[in-house]
Every structure is written in C-alpha cells, then in structure tokens.
Amino acid sequence: MDTVHEALRQAILSSSLRPGERLNPNELATQLGVSLMPVRHAIQLLAAEGLVEVRPRSGTFVASVSAREVRETFEIRCALECLAVEKAISALSADDLAEMRRLGNAMAKAPRTDADRRRHEQSNANFHLLFLRAAGNDKLLEMYAGLRAHIQIAGVHAGDQDWRSRLAQETAEHEAILVAVEARDTVGAVEAMRRHITRSCESLAAAVEKKNGRED
C-alpha cells in the first residue's frame, strides 16, 4: 500500500495529476495494476497530508491552494528554517560547507531545459535540507518534510512562468546565506534566510493569485 501511496503522491507533486482534477479510484487501481483497497487507503493518507480533498457526494479531487494558504505555510516554513540555521551553523562540517557551496554554484547556472529546471529544484531542496539535517532535531525535520508537499503543490497549481526573471535574485539570496554561514555568522545567516523565504513566499503567493484570478 505504501507503493501505491508514493506513486499517487509523486503523480500529484509532478503535476501528472493536476490541482482540482477528480480522482477515480477504479481507474487509478487499473492504471496501477492493484486492487481498489490500496488505492482507497492511499487516498486517505493523501487527504491527511492535505494533497487531496474528499468532498461528500462529489468525489475526491487533487487539492488546490489559495494565496492565503501559501502565506500561512511559508510563515511556518520560515520559523522552522530560521531555527534550523540557528541550531546548525556551528555544527556544519567542512564537507557540509563545501557541498552547500557546490549547490549554490549549480543553482547560479540558468536552466535551459525542463530537465535542467528539475535538477535546479532538487539542488535547491538539498541546499535547504542541509540546514535541517545539521540541526540535529528529528521533529524539526519531520515538520519541515510535511510542509514541503504543500509548497510543491502550490508551485504546481500556480504554474509560475516568471521564475526565470527571479533567478538572479534567488542566486544573490543564496550567496548571502552562504557568505554568512561560511563566516559562522548566526545572526546574519538567519536574517539572510528569512529574507530569502519571505521573498519566495510573496513570489509564489502572487503567482497563485494570478492563477486564481485574485479570488483570494
């Protein structure tokens, strides 16, 4: 059943199943080559994660998001990541710093293809996860992992086409974080991370508002 859950989860996060799309459990079971029971169980797990909505007498749908939900999610993300930076900065090893710098350099290169963008997004995720893992707090990492799915589905829902224009700004923000971390400047690193996440939040919220026709 975990395999079915993961397959459907990845289909949502990769936009194979789009926000607002109605899910037919029978069709999904046929596509995945399983019985109906593991599909229903997977849908229950996805609903608990907030990735699908079960509407009585209407059916099950891939969750959509509002700009308000984006801002609320990022508010929690900011608190978690800033705490992670504060706890991690003295614990980051030389290898951690080298990997962080490598990821920063990789992200500074403009993606040319969809595959490049996927690698860019993975590098970005790994960059932030370095802090979470170095913080040494399993609960912090668990809470952050729960938010990641909501952030990803917001990006899918927004279908943001303006990300290229923000690449230089994102690169500068990552560089500011790196410089502070390499100097073991806790206050500067936390503030640089806060600015980065706040800007990311507003960019994504604006894209969602545009997609929703400012219905939020």
Side-chain angles (χ1 to χ4, degrees), residues 45-205:
L45 295 177
L46 293 168
E49 290 180 80
L51 296 180
V52 303
E53 299 172 357
V54 180
R55 304 173 191 168
R57 298 181 296 281
S58 295
T60 301
F61 301 82
V62 177
S64 297
V65 293
S66 68
R68 176 178 178 177
E69 288 168 326
V70 169
R71 291 188 174 99
E72 288 176 348
T73 298
F74 269 80
E75 186 174 6
I76 299 169
R77 176 193 172 186
C78 189
L80 293 177
E81 287 208 51
C82 287
L83 176 59
V85 170
E86 185 178 335
K87 291 177 67 65
I89 198 162
S90 62
L92 289 165
S93 67
D95 286 343
D96 290 332
L97 293 176
E99 176 63 6
M100 200 173 289
R101 173 55 69 181
R102 185 192 70 79
L103 291 169
N105 292 340
M107 287 186 287
K109 299 175 183 176
R112 297 179 181 276
T113 65
D114 287 342
D116 286 344
R117 187 178 182 188
R118 286 193 293 273
R119 282 191 288 271
H120 178 94
E121 290 170 349
Q122 187 59 57
S123 293
N124 187 49
N126 291 342
F127 180 86
H128 288 269
L129 281 171
L130 270 170
F131 292 104
L132 275 296
R133 289 170 178 152
N137 187 317
D138 290 342
K139 282 296 180 184
L140 185 60
L141 187 58
E142 182 182 326
M143 292 174 70
Y144 180 79
L147 292 179
R148 285 293 304 165
H150 295 277
I151 294 168
Q152 285 179 270
I153 200 171
V156 169
H157 177 71
D160 186 8
Q161 299 299 312
D162 298 329
W163 62 273
R164 289 182 188 274
S165 65
R166 294 194 300 271
L167 182 60
Q169 186 174 14
E170 178 191 277
T171 299
E173 290 164 357
H174 284 147
E175 181 63 21
I177 295 167
L178 278 165
V179 168
V181 169
E182 288 169 344
R184 304 290 183 175
D185 176 3
T186 302
V187 174
V190 169
E191 184 54 34
M193 182 65 79
R194 190 185 311 281
R195 287 196 302 269
H196 172 54
I197 295 174
T198 299
R199 195 276 310 157
S200 298
C201 172
E202 288 310 312
S203 295
L204 185 53

